[in-house]
Coordinates of all heavy atoms in Angstrom, one line a residue:
M1 N 0.8 -1.2 0.0 CA 0.0 0.0 0.0 C 0.8 1.3 0.1 O 1.7 1.5 0.9 CB -0.9 0.0 1.2 CG -2.0 1.2 1.4 SD -3.0 0.9 2.6 CE -3.7 2.5 2.6
P2 N 0.8 2.1 -1.0 CA 1.7 3.2 -1.1 C 1.3 4.4 -0.1 O 0.2 4.6 0.0 CB 1.6 3.6 -2.6 CG 0.3 3.2 -3.1 CD 0.0 1.9 -2.2
I3 N 2.3 5.0 0.3 CA 2.0 6.2 1.2 C 1.9 7.4 0.3 O 2.8 7.6 -0.5 CB 3.2 6.4 2.2 CG1 3.3 5.1 3.1 CG2 2.8 7.6 3.1 CD1 4.6 4.9 3.9
P4 N 0.8 8.1 0.3 CA 0.7 9.2 -0.6 C 1.8 10.2 -0.7 O 2.1 10.7 -1.7 CB -0.6 9.9 -0.1 CG -1.3 8.9 0.7 CD -0.3 8.0 1.2
L5 N 2.3 10.6 0.5 CA 3.4 11.6 0.5 C 4.6 11.1 -0.3 O 5.3 11.8 -1.0 CB 3.7 12.0 2.0 CG 4.6 13.1 2.1 CD1 3.9 14.5 1.7 CD2 5.0 13.3 3.6
L6 N 4.9 9.8 0.1 CA 6.2 9.2 -0.6 C 6.1 9.1 -2.1 O 7.0 9.4 -2.8 CB 6.5 7.8 0.1 CG 7.1 7.9 1.5 CD1 7.3 6.5 2.0 CD2 8.4 8.8 1.6
T7 N 4.9 8.7 -2.4 CA 4.6 8.5 -4.0 C 4.7 9.9 -4.6 O 5.1 10.0 -5.7 CB 3.3 7.8 -4.2 OG1 2.3 8.6 -3.5 CG2 3.3 6.4 -3.7
A8 N 4.3 11.0 -4.0 CA 4.2 12.3 -4.6 C 5.7 12.7 -4.8 O 6.0 13.3 -5.8 CB 3.6 13.3 -3.7
T9 N 6.6 12.4 -3.8 CA 8.0 12.8 -3.9 C 8.7 11.9 -5.0 O 9.7 12.3 -5.6 CB 8.7 12.8 -2.7 OG1 8.4 11.7 -1.9 CG2 8.2 14.1 -1.8
A10 N 8.2 10.6 -5.0 CA 9.0 9.7 -5.8 C 8.7 9.9 -7.3 O 9.6 9.7 -8.1 CB 8.4 8.2 -5.5
T11 N 7.5 10.5 -7.5 CA 7.3 10.8 -9.1 C 8.2 11.9 -9.5 O 8.3 12.2 -10.7 CB 5.8 11.1 -9.2 OG1 5.4 12.0 -8.3 CG2 5.0 9.8 -9.0
G12 N 8.7 12.7 -8.5 CA 9.4 13.9 -8.9 C 8.6 15.0 -9.3 O 9.2 16.0 -9.9
G13 N 7.3 15.0 -9.2 CA 6.5 16.0 -9.6 C 6.7 17.3 -8.7 O 7.0 17.1 -7.5
P14 N 6.5 18.4 -9.3 CA 6.6 19.7 -8.4 C 5.4 19.7 -7.4 O 4.4 19.1 -7.6 CB 6.4 20.8 -9.4 CG 5.6 20.2 -10.6 CD 6.0 18.7 -10.6
L15 N 5.7 20.4 -6.3 CA 4.7 20.6 -5.3 C 3.5 21.2 -5.7 O 3.5 22.0 -6.7 CB 5.3 21.3 -4.0 CG 6.1 20.6 -3.0 CD1 6.7 21.4 -2.0 CD2 5.3 19.4 -2.3
D16 N 2.4 20.9 -5.2 CA 1.1 21.5 -5.4 C 1.2 23.1 -5.2 O 1.7 23.4 -4.1 CB 0.0 20.9 -4.6 CG -1.3 21.1 -5.1 OD1 -1.6 22.2 -5.6 OD2 -2.1 20.1 -5.0
P17 N 0.7 23.9 -5.9 CA 0.8 25.4 -5.7 C 0.2 25.7 -4.4 O 0.7 26.6 -3.7 CB 0.0 25.9 -6.8 CG 0.1 25.0 -8.0 CD 0.2 23.7 -7.3
A18 N -0.8 25.0 -3.9 CA -1.5 25.3 -2.7 C -0.5 24.9 -1.5 O -0.5 25.6 -0.6 CB -2.8 24.5 -2.6
Q19 N 0.1 23.8 -1.8 CA 1.1 23.4 -0.7 C 2.2 24.3 -0.6 O 2.7 24.7 0.5 CB 1.6 22.0 -1.1 CG 0.7 20.8 -0.8 CD 1.3 19.5 -1.1 OE1 1.9 19.4 -2.2 NE2 1.2 18.6 -0.2
L20 N 2.7 24.8 -1.7 CA 3.8 25.8 -1.7 C 3.4 27.1 -1.0 O 4.0 27.6 -0.2 CB 4.2 26.1 -3.2 CG 5.2 25.2 -3.8 CD1 5.5 25.6 -5.2 CD2 6.6 25.4 -2.9
A21 N 2.2 27.5 -1.3 CA 1.6 28.7 -0.7 C 1.5 28.6 0.8 O 1.9 29.4 1.5 CB 0.3 29.1 -1.3
A22 N 1.0 27.4 1.2 CA 0.9 27.1 2.6 C 2.3 27.1 3.4 O 2.4 27.7 4.4 CB 0.2 25.8 2.8
L23 N 3.3 26.5 2.6 CA 4.6 26.5 3.2 C 5.2 28.0 3.3 O 5.8 28.3 4.3 CB 5.5 25.7 2.3 CG 5.5 24.2 2.5 CD1 6.6 23.5 1.6 CD2 6.1 23.9 4.0
A24 N 4.9 28.8 2.3 CA 5.4 30.1 2.3 C 4.7 30.9 3.4 O 5.4 31.6 4.1 CB 5.1 30.8 0.9
V25 N 3.5 30.7 3.6 CA 2.8 31.4 4.7 C 3.4 30.9 6.1 O 3.6 31.8 6.9 CB 1.2 31.2 4.6 CG1 0.5 31.6 5.9 CG2 0.6 31.8 3.4
L26 N 3.5 29.7 6.2 CA 4.1 29.2 7.4 C 5.5 29.7 7.8 O 5.8 30.2 8.9 CB 4.2 27.6 7.4 CG 2.9 26.9 7.8 CD1 3.1 25.4 7.7 CD2 2.5 27.2 9.3
A27 N 6.4 29.8 6.7 CA 7.6 30.2 6.8 C 7.6 31.7 7.2 O 8.3 32.2 8.0 CB 8.4 30.2 5.6
F28 N 6.7 32.5 6.5 CA 6.6 34.0 6.8 C 6.2 34.1 8.2 O 6.7 34.9 9.0 CB 5.6 34.6 5.9 CG 5.4 36.0 6.1 CD1 6.3 36.9 5.7 CD2 4.1 36.5 6.6 CE1 6.2 38.2 5.9 CE2 4.0 37.8 6.8 CZ 4.9 38.6 6.4
L29 N 5.1 33.4 8.7 CA 4.7 33.4 10.1 C 5.8 33.1 11.1 O 6.0 33.9 12.1 CB 3.4 32.7 10.3 CG 2.1 33.2 9.7 CD1 1.0 32.2 10.0 CD2 1.7 34.5 10.3
G30 N 6.5 32.1 10.7 CA 7.6 31.7 11.7 C 8.6 32.8 11.9 O 9.2 33.1 12.8
W31 N 8.9 33.4 10.7 CA 9.9 34.5 10.6 C 9.5 35.8 11.4 O 10.2 36.3 12.2 CB 10.3 34.8 9.2 CG 11.0 36.1 9.1 CD1 10.6 37.3 8.6 CD2 12.3 36.4 9.6 NE1 11.6 38.2 8.7 CE2 12.6 37.7 9.3 CE3 13.3 35.6 10.2 CZ2 13.8 38.3 9.6 CZ3 14.5 36.2 10.6 CH2 14.7 37.5 10.2
R32 N 8.1 36.0 11.3 CA 7.7 37.1 12.0 C 7.7 36.9 13.5 O 8.1 37.8 14.3 CB 6.2 37.4 11.5 CG 6.0 37.8 10.1 CD 6.7 39.1 9.8 NE 6.3 40.2 10.7 CZ 6.9 41.4 10.9 NH1 8.0 41.7 10.0 NH2 6.6 42.3 11.6
L33 N 7.3 35.7 13.9 CA 7.3 35.4 15.3 C 8.7 35.4 15.9 O 9.0 36.0 16.9 CB 6.7 34.0 15.6 CG 5.3 33.9 15.5 CD1 4.7 32.5 15.7 CD2 4.7 34.7 16.6
L34 N 9.7 34.9 15.1 CA 11.1 35.0 15.4 C 11.5 36.4 15.6 O 12.2 36.7 16.6 CB 11.8 34.2 14.5 CG 13.4 33.9 14.9 CD1 13.3 32.8 16.0 CD2 14.2 33.4 13.7
A35 N 11.2 37.3 14.7 CA 11.6 38.6 14.7 C 11.0 39.4 15.9 O 11.6 40.1 16.6 CB 11.2 39.3 13.4
I36 N 9.8 39.1 16.2 CA 9.0 39.7 17.3 C 9.7 39.3 18.5 O 9.9 40.1 19.5 CB 7.6 39.3 17.3 CG1 6.9 40.0 16.3 CG2 7.0 39.7 18.8 CD1 5.5 39.5 16.0
W37 N 10.2 37.9 18.7 CA 10.7 37.4 19.9 C 12.2 38.1 20.1 O 12.6 38.4 21.2 CB 10.8 35.9 19.8 CG 11.2 35.3 21.0 CD1 10.8 35.4 22.3 CD2 12.4 34.4 21.1 NE1 11.6 34.5 23.1 CE2 12.5 34.0 22.4 CE3 13.3 33.9 20.1 CZ2 13.6 33.1 22.8 CZ3 14.3 33.0 20.5 CH2 14.4 32.6 21.9
L38 N 12.9 38.1 19.0 CA 14.3 38.6 19.1 C 14.4 40.0 19.1 O 15.2 40.6 19.9 CB 15.1 38.1 17.9 CG 15.4 36.5 17.8 CD1 16.1 36.2 16.6 CD2 16.2 36.2 19.0
F39 N 13.6 40.8 18.3 CA 13.7 42.2 18.3 C 12.3 42.8 18.6 O 11.5 43.1 17.7 CB 14.0 42.7 16.9 CG 15.2 42.0 16.4 CD1 15.1 41.1 15.3 CD2 16.5 42.2 16.8 CE1 16.2 40.4 14.8 CE2 17.6 41.6 16.4 CZ 17.5 40.7 15.4
P40 N 11.9 43.0 19.9 CA 10.7 43.4 20.3 C 10.4 44.9 20.0 O 9.3 45.3 20.0 CB 10.5 43.0 21.8 CG 12.0 42.9 22.3 CD 12.7 42.6 21.1
Y41 N 11.5 45.6 19.8 CA 11.5 47.0 19.6 C 11.7 47.3 18.1 O 12.6 46.8 17.5 CB 12.5 47.7 20.5 CG 12.1 47.6 21.9 CD1 12.9 46.7 22.7 CD2 11.1 48.2 22.5 CE1 12.7 46.6 24.1 CE2 10.8 48.1 23.9 CZ 11.5 47.2 24.6 OH 11.3 47.1 26.0
A42 N 11.0 48.4 17.7 CA 11.2 48.8 16.3 C 11.5 50.4 16.5 O 11.1 51.0 17.5 CB 10.0 48.6 15.4
P43 N 12.2 51.1 15.6 CA 12.4 52.5 15.7 C 11.0 53.2 15.8 O 10.0 52.9 15.1 CB 13.1 52.8 14.4 CG 13.6 51.6 13.9 CD 12.8 50.5 14.4
C44 N 11.1 54.2 16.7 CA 9.9 55.0 16.8 C 9.5 55.6 15.5 O 10.4 56.3 14.8 CB 10.0 56.0 17.9 SG 8.7 57.2 18.0
R45 N 8.1 55.6 15.1 CA 7.8 56.2 13.8 C 7.8 57.7 14.0 O 7.9 58.4 13.0 CB 6.5 55.7 13.5 CG 6.5 54.4 12.6 CD 5.1 54.0 12.2 NE 4.9 52.6 12.4 CZ 3.6 52.1 12.5 NH1 2.6 52.8 12.5 NH2 3.6 50.8 12.7
H46 N 7.5 58.2 15.1 CA 7.3 59.7 15.3 C 8.7 60.4 15.1 O 8.8 61.4 14.4 CB 6.8 59.9 16.7 CG 6.1 61.2 16.8 ND1 5.1 61.7 16.0 CD2 6.4 62.3 17.7 CE1 4.8 63.0 16.4 NE2 5.6 63.3 17.3
C47 N 9.8 59.8 15.7 CA 11.0 60.6 15.7 C 12.1 59.7 14.9 O 13.2 60.0 14.7 CB 11.5 60.7 17.1 SG 11.7 59.2 18.0
R48 N 11.7 58.7 14.2 CA 12.4 57.8 13.4 C 13.6 57.2 14.3 O 14.8 57.1 13.7 CB 12.9 58.5 12.2 CG 11.9 58.9 11.3 CD 12.3 59.2 9.9 NE 11.2 59.7 9.1 CZ 11.0 60.9 8.7 NH1 11.8 61.9 9.2 NH2 10.0 61.3 7.9
G49 N 13.3 56.9 15.5 CA 14.4 56.3 16.3 C 15.4 57.2 16.9 O 16.3 56.7 17.6
T50 N 15.3 58.5 16.8 CA 16.3 59.4 17.3 C 16.0 59.8 18.8 O 16.8 60.2 19.5 CB 16.3 60.7 16.5 OG1 15.0 61.4 16.4 CG2 16.9 60.5 15.2
G51 N 14.7 59.6 19.2 CA 14.3 59.9 20.6 C 14.0 61.3 20.8 O 13.7 61.8 21.9
K52 N 14.1 62.2 19.7 CA 13.8 63.6 19.8 C 13.1 64.0 18.6 O 13.3 63.5 17.4 CB 15.0 64.4 20.2 CG 16.0 64.2 19.2 CD 17.3 64.8 19.7 CE 18.5 64.5 18.7 NZ 19.8 65.0 19.2
H53 N 12.3 65.1 18.7 CA 11.8 65.7 17.5 C 11.7 67.2 17.5 O 11.9 67.8 18.7 CB 10.3 65.1 17.2 CG 9.4 65.6 18.1 ND1 8.4 66.6 17.6 CD2 9.2 65.5 19.4 CE1 7.6 66.8 18.6 NE2 8.0 66.2 19.7
R54 N 11.6 67.7 16.4 CA 11.8 69.2 16.4 C 10.4 69.9 16.6 O 9.4 69.6 16.0 CB 12.3 69.6 15.0 CG 13.4 70.6 15.1 CD 13.9 70.9 13.7 NE 14.6 72.2 13.9 CZ 15.9 72.4 13.4 NH1 16.4 71.5 12.7 NH2 16.4 73.5 13.5
A55 N 10.5 70.7 17.5 CA 9.2 71.6 17.7 C 9.6 73.1 17.5 O 10.4 73.6 18.3 CB 8.7 71.4 19.2
G56 N 9.3 73.5 16.4 CA 9.8 74.8 16.0 C 11.2 74.9 15.7 O 11.7 73.9 14.9
K57 N 12.1 75.6 16.4 CA 13.5 75.5 16.2 C 14.2 74.8 17.3 O 15.4 74.8 17.4 CB 14.1 77.0 16.1 CG 13.7 77.9 17.2 CD 14.4 79.2 16.9 CE 13.9 80.3 17.8 NZ 14.7 81.6 17.6
Y58 N 13.4 74.3 18.3 CA 14.0 73.5 19.3 C 13.8 71.9 19.1 O 12.9 71.5 18.7 CB 13.4 73.9 20.7 CG 13.5 75.4 21.1 CD1 12.4 76.2 20.8 CD2 14.8 75.9 21.4 CE1 12.6 77.6 21.1 CE2 14.9 77.3 21.6 CZ 13.8 78.1 21.5 OH 13.9 79.4 21.7
W59 N 14.8 71.2 19.7 CA 14.7 69.8 19.8 C 14.0 69.4 21.2 O 14.5 69.8 22.2 CB 16.1 69.2 19.6 CG 16.5 69.3 18.3 CD1 17.4 70.1 17.8 CD2 16.2 68.5 17.2 NE1 17.7 70.0 16.5 CE2 17.0 69.0 16.0 CE3 15.4 67.3 16.9 CZ2 16.8 68.4 14.8 CZ3 15.3 66.8 15.7 CH2 16.1 67.3 14.7
R60 N 13.0 68.6 21.1 CA 12.4 68.2 22.2 C 12.3 66.7 22.4 O 12.4 66.0 21.3 CB 10.9 68.6 22.2 CG 10.7 70.0 22.2 CD 10.2 70.5 23.5 NE 10.2 72.0 23.6 CZ 9.1 72.8 23.3 NH1 8.0 72.3 23.1 NH2 9.3 74.1 23.5
P61 N 12.4 66.0 23.6 CA 12.3 64.6 23.6 C 11.0 64.1 23.0 O 9.9 64.8 23.2 CB 12.2 64.3 25.2 CG 12.8 65.5 25.7 CD 12.5 66.7 24.8
C62 N 11.0 63.1 22.2 CA 9.8 62.7 21.6 C 8.8 62.3 22.5 O 9.1 61.6 23.5 CB 10.3 61.4 20.7 SG 8.8 60.7 19.9
S63 N 7.6 62.7 22.4 CA 6.5 62.5 23.3 C 5.9 61.0 23.1 O 5.4 60.4 24.0 CB 5.3 63.5 23.1 OG 4.9 63.5 21.7
R64 N 6.1 60.5 21.9 CA 5.5 59.3 21.6 C 6.3 58.1 22.2 O 5.7 57.2 22.9 CB 5.6 59.0 20.2 CG 4.6 58.0 19.5 CD 3.2 58.3 19.7 NE 2.6 59.2 18.7 CZ 2.3 58.9 17.5 NH1 2.5 57.8 16.9 NH2 1.7 59.8 16.6
C65 N 7.6 58.2 22.2 CA 8.5 57.2 22.8 C 9.2 57.6 24.1 O 9.9 57.0 24.6 CB 9.5 56.6 21.8 SG 10.6 58.0 21.3
K66 N 8.9 58.8 24.5 CA 9.4 59.5 25.8 C 11.0 59.5 25.6 O 11.6 59.3 26.6 CB 9.0 58.7 26.9 CG 7.5 58.9 27.2 CD 7.0 58.1 28.4 CE 5.6 58.3 28.6 NZ 4.7 57.8 27.6
G67 N 11.5 59.8 24.5 CA 12.9 60.0 24.3 C 13.7 58.7 24.1 O 15.0 58.8 24.0
T68 N 13.1 57.5 24.2 CA 13.9 56.3 24.0 C 14.2 56.0 22.5 O 15.2 55.3 22.3 CB 13.1 55.1 24.6 OG1 11.9 55.0 23.9 CG2 12.9 55.4 26.0
G69 N 13.3 56.5 21.6 CA 13.6 56.4 20.2 C 13.1 55.0 19.6 O 13.4 54.6 18.5
R70 N 12.4 54.3 20.5 CA 12.0 53.0 20.1 C 10.6 52.8 20.5 O 10.1 53.3 21.5 CB 12.8 51.8 20.6 CG 13.0 51.9 22.0 CD 14.1 51.0 22.6 NE 13.9 50.9 24.0 CZ 14.7 50.1 24.8 NH1 15.5 49.4 24.3 NH2 14.4 50.1 26.1
R71 N 9.9 51.9 19.8 CA 8.5 51.5 20.2 C 8.4 50.0 20.2 O 9.1 49.3 19.5 CB 7.6 52.1 19.2 CG 7.7 51.6 17.9 CD 6.7 52.3 16.8 NE 7.1 51.8 15.6 CZ 6.7 50.6 14.9 NH1 5.8 49.9 15.7 NH2 7.0 50.3 13.8
I72 N 7.5 49.5 21.0 CA 7.2 48.1 21.1 C 6.5 47.8 19.9 O 5.5 48.3 19.5 CB 6.5 47.7 22.3 CG1 7.4 48.1 23.5 CG2 6.2 46.3 22.4 CD1 6.8 47.8 24.8
R73 N 6.9 46.7 19.1 CA 6.2 46.2 17.9 C 4.8 45.8 18.4 O 4.5 45.3 19.5 CB 6.9 45.0 17.3 CG 8.2 45.3 16.7 CD 8.8 44.1 16.2 NE 10.1 44.4 15.7 CZ 10.5 44.8 14.4 NH1 9.5 44.9 13.6 NH2 11.6 45.0 14.2
L74 N 3.9 46.0 17.3 CA 2.5 45.6 17.6 C 2.4 44.1 18.0 O 1.6 43.8 18.8 CB 1.7 45.9 16.3 CG 0.2 45.6 16.4 CD1 -0.5 46.6 17.3 CD2 -0.4 45.7 15.0
G75 N 3.1 43.3 17.3 CA 3.1 41.9 17.5 C 3.5 41.5 18.9 O 2.9 40.7 19.6
R76 N 4.5 42.3 19.4 CA 5.1 42.0 20.7 C 3.9 42.5 21.8 O 3.8 41.8 22.8 CB 6.3 42.8 20.9 CG 6.9 42.7 22.2 CD 7.3 41.3 22.6 NE 7.9 41.0 23.8 CZ 8.8 40.2 24.2 NH1 9.4 39.5 23.3 NH2 9.3 40.1 25.4
R77 N 3.2 43.5 21.4 CA 2.2 44.0 22.3 C 1.1 43.0 22.4 O 0.5 42.7 23.5 CB 1.7 45.4 21.8 CG 1.6 46.4 22.9 CD 1.1 47.7 22.4 NE 2.2 48.5 21.9 CZ 2.0 49.7 21.3 NH1 0.8 50.1 21.1 NH2 3.0 50.4 20.9
V78 N 0.8 42.4 21.2 CA -0.3 41.4 21.2 C 0.1 40.2 22.1 O -0.5 39.5 22.8 CB -0.6 41.0 19.8 CG1 -1.6 39.8 19.7 CG2 -1.3 42.1 19.0
W79 N 1.5 39.8 21.9 CA 2.1 38.6 22.6 C 2.0 38.9 24.1 O 1.6 38.0 24.8 CB 3.5 38.6 22.1 CG 4.4 37.6 22.8 CD1 5.3 38.0 23.8 CD2 4.5 36.2 22.6 NE1 6.0 36.8 24.2 CE2 5.5 35.8 23.5 CE3 3.8 35.3 21.7 CZ2 5.8 34.4 23.6 CZ3 4.3 34.0 21.8 CH2 5.2 33.6 22.8
D80 N 2.4 40.1 24.5 CA 2.4 40.4 26.0 C 1.0 40.3 26.5 O 0.6 40.0 27.6 CB 3.0 41.8 26.3 CG 4.5 41.8 26.2 OD1 5.1 40.7 26.2 OD2 5.1 42.8 25.9
W81 N 0.1 40.9 25.7 CA -1.3 41.0 26.1 C -1.9 39.6 26.2 O -2.6 39.3 27.2 CB -2.1 41.7 25.0 CG -3.6 41.9 25.4 CD1 -4.0 42.8 26.3 CD2 -4.8 41.2 24.7 NE1 -5.5 42.7 26.3 CE2 -5.9 41.7 25.4 CE3 -4.7 40.3 23.8 CZ2 -7.1 41.2 25.0 CZ3 -6.0 39.8 23.5 CH2 -7.2 40.3 24.1
T82 N -1.6 38.6 25.4 CA -2.2 37.3 25.4 C -1.6 36.6 26.6 O -2.2 35.9 27.4 CB -1.8 36.4 24.2 OG1 -0.5 36.6 23.9 CG2 -2.6 36.9 23.1
R83 N -0.2 36.9 26.9 CA 0.4 36.3 28.0 C -0.2 36.9 29.4 O -0.4 36.0 30.4 CB 1.9 36.6 28.1 CG 2.6 35.7 27.0 CD 4.0 36.1 26.9 NE 4.8 35.7 28.2 CZ 5.3 34.5 28.2 NH1 5.4 33.7 27.3 NH2 6.0 34.2 29.4
T84 N -0.4 38.1 29.5 CA -1.0 38.7 30.7 C -2.4 38.2 30.8 O -2.8 38.0 32.1 CB -1.0 40.3 30.7 OG1 -1.4 40.6 29.5 CG2 0.5 40.8 30.9
T85 N -3.2 38.2 29.9 CA -4.5 37.6 30.0 C -4.6 36.2 30.5 O -5.4 35.7 31.2 CB -5.5 37.8 28.8 OG1 -4.7 37.4 27.6 CG2 -5.8 39.2 28.5
D86 N -3.6 35.5 30.0 CA -3.5 34.1 30.4 C -3.2 33.9 31.9 O -3.8 33.1 32.6 CB -2.4 33.3 29.6 CG -2.9 32.9 28.2 OD1 -4.1 32.9 28.0 OD2 -2.1 32.4 27.4
T87 N -2.3 34.7 32.4 CA -2.0 34.6 33.8 C -3.1 35.0 34.7 O -3.3 34.6 35.9 CB -0.6 35.4 34.1 OG1 -0.9 36.7 33.6 CG2 0.5 34.8 33.5
T88 N -3.8 36.1 34.2 CA -5.0 36.6 35.1 C -6.2 35.6 35.1 O -6.9 35.6 36.0 CB -5.5 38.0 34.7 OG1 -5.7 37.8 33.2 CG2 -4.6 39.1 35.0
R89 N -6.2 34.8 34.1 CA -7.3 33.8 34.1 C -7.1 32.7 35.1 O -8.0 32.1 35.6 CB -7.4 33.2 32.6 CG -8.6 33.7 31.9 CD -8.6 33.2 30.5 NE -8.8 34.2 29.5 CZ -8.6 34.0 28.2 NH1 -8.1 32.8 27.8 NH2 -8.9 34.9 27.3
R90 N -5.8 32.4 35.4 CA -5.6 31.3 36.3 C -5.9 31.6 37.7 O -5.9 32.7 38.1 CB -4.0 31.0 36.2 CG -3.8 29.8 35.2 CD -2.3 29.7 35.0 NE -2.1 29.5 33.5 CZ -0.9 29.6 32.9 NH1 0.2 30.0 33.7 NH2 -0.7 29.4 31.7
Ligands
ZN101 ZN1 9.8 58.7 19.2

């Protein structure tokens, strides 16, 4: 009795486009998760990561990121949010 997966590779035929798309989506999601986990911060959009912005002719600490020049990625915020809601549920 042949195993479907093995026979598919044995024939040497190309992968199904749907399978390829699914693999691509999985790889993309995996990469995004890894990036969120490794680099939770992204440059602040308001000050472009400098931590300050110009108000008239003066430089002021960026109000959006409070002078840190970075912001927490949206994905990381969702990640933290799911984790905190999980702990409060227990
Ligand atoms: Zn900023």
Side-chain angles (χ1 to χ4, degrees):
M1 185 174 168
I3 303 165
L5 191 68
L6 284 181
T7 52
T9 50
T11 52
L15 275 174
D16 202 319
Q19 281 179 317
L20 270 179
L23 271 178
V25 167
L26 273 180
F28 179 72
L29 282 180
W31 167 247
R32 292 303 303 170
L33 279 177
L34 193 71
I36 288 167
W37 183 59
L38 287 178
F39 313 106
Y41 296 106
C44 174
R45 269 185 225 156
H46 197 60
C47 58
R48 298 199 182 103
T50 56
K52 55 194 176 181
H53 74 107
R54 225 175 163 135
K57 53 181 176 174
Y58 302 106
W59 288 96
R60 298 253 168 97
C62 175
S63 55
R64 202 62 83 74
C65 60
K66 296 180 177 66
T68 57
R70 56 192 190 172
R71 64 182 171 86
I72 298 178
R73 286 177 191 276
L74 181 69
R76 180 62 182 218
R77 231 178 269 176
V78 172
W79 171 261
D80 284 344
W81 182 75
T82 52
R83 284 176 70 89
T84 48
T85 48
D86 275 352
T87 48
T88 48
R89 252 179 227 162
R90 265 170 222 163

